[in-house]
Amino acid sequence: IGNPTLRQEFQHSLNIRYSASSPEVSSNLFALISGSFTQNPISNRTLVAARDTMVVPEGAPAVRLPAGGQLIQPTNLSQQYALRSLVSYGQPIKAIKTNVNVSANASFTQTPGLVNGGLNYARVPSFGAGLTLSSNISAKLDFTASTTSNQNFVINTLQTRLNTNYFSQVTRFRLNWIVDPGINIATDLVHQAYSGLSAGYNQQYVLWNASLGKKIFPGQRGEIRVYAFDLLGQN
């Protein structure tokens, strides 16, 4: 049902960014701090009837709710906000003709919710780090290898049985190789891993895609390309 007393929500945000580079060594630094606050956030108030009940919702006429029935009404809550930070640094390693980038991030979100009149705050602190290697060997060979890991914690003030923490990691390798003029090989290999989630979501698999292309027509204006997806059959 609707709610005629509902107030419009407003989101306020602040972002601070810093970047610097050193042409002498081709290094770069990037940092970010951001925050947002939602005024009058709109959420759903859920009422679950244990037995036949007459319910008088906010600003609405009474409703007869049978046992096991649910009544959902949008309502304004408060104290919804998010904080996020990120720092990244990159520099080439001339000995292996590769660019290296390292990063770290942290965030915190708080989201209010209502169930049967009880106010619950879901708080999620998260921490992560990443490493990326990208080549500059030659114009014919290009590859990127990266890995990113994140640890998340879910903390509920009311529904503590839903508290959990979980870990996720994504590792990727991309290659693009011009074998001969007009012939190109590309491949993409991704490993994804999740742990700490419920059964069925703690997955770990490798997804491998590849393609072979040949330029055609005068001036190489066209291309025929053959794709293969999920070569390992794990997803």
Side-chain angles (χ1 to χ4, degrees):
I1 60 173
N3 184 353
T5 66
L6 204 62
R7 289 168 291 168
Q8 186 174 10
E9 71 173 27
F10 294 90
Q11 187 178 76
H12 312 273
S13 62
L14 176 66
N15 300 283
I16 300 174
R17 298 183 181 91
Y18 173 80
S19 62
S21 62
S22 176
E24 295 82 7
V25 294
S26 300
S27 65
N28 60 82
L29 172 68
F30 176 79
L32 165 73
I33 298 177
S34 66
S36 66
F37 171 75
T38 304
Q39 182 180 348
N40 302 323
I42 297 173
S43 183
N44 285 329
R45 181 195 304 270
T46 303
L47 299 173
V48 182
R51 55 183 181 276
D52 289 2
T53 308
M54 290 299 295
V55 178
V56 183
E58 183 179 354
V63 176
R64 180 183 177 276
L65 200 59
Q70 295 186 22
L71 182 68
I72 300 175
Q73 182 186 37
T75 187
N76 291 110
L77 297 178
S78 62
Q79 299 186 45
Q80 177 175 312
Y81 58 87
L83 300 170
R84 177 172 175 255
S85 63
L86 168 69
V87 62
S88 173
Y89 178 77
Q91 182 175 325
I93 300 180
K94 295 181 180 179
I96 57 175
K97 296 182 178 180
T98 301
N99 299 313
V100 178
N101 183 274
V102 292
S103 62
N105 66 83
S107 65
F108 181 85
T109 63
Q110 175 172 284
T111 306
L114 283 170
V115 177
N116 276 358
L119 178 60
N120 178 71
Y121 289 104
R123 295 165 179 160
V124 183
S126 174
F127 308 92
L131 172 66
T132 300
L133 304 176
S134 56
S135 78
N136 56 5
I137 295 175
S138 73
K140 292 186 176 181
L141 181 63
D142 178 53
F143 73 82
T144 301
S146 64
T147 184
T148 304
S149 302
N150 282 282
Q151 180 69 49
N152 300 271
F153 302 87
V154 181
I155 305 168
N156 291 277
T157 58
L158 183 64
Q159 297 172 299
T160 55
R161 61 184 178 81
L162 298 179
N163 290 356
T164 185
N165 64 81
Y166 60 94
F167 176 81
S168 65
Q169 184 181 52
V170 179
T171 302
R172 180 185 297 270
F173 177 77
R174 289 176 175 171
L175 173 70
N176 194 67
W177 182 22
I178 301 175
V179 182
D180 260 335
I183 299 178
N184 175 268
I185 295 175
T187 188
D188 183 77
L189 190 68
V190 181
H191 175 262
Q192 299 197 40
Y194 302 91
S195 62
L197 300 172
S198 57
Y201 290 93
N202 288 324
Q203 301 181 14
Q204 185 172 174
Y205 61 87
V206 177
L207 184 62
W208 182 19
N209 303 324
S211 68
L212 174 63
K214 176 68 174 72
K215 296 290 186 180
I216 58 174
F217 302 138
Q220 297 189 346
R221 295 178 180 177
E223 183 183 53
I224 296 176
R225 183 170 291 272
V226 178
Y227 293 89
F229 298 98
D230 193 18
L231 287 166
L232 301 179
Q234 294 189 16
N235 194 33

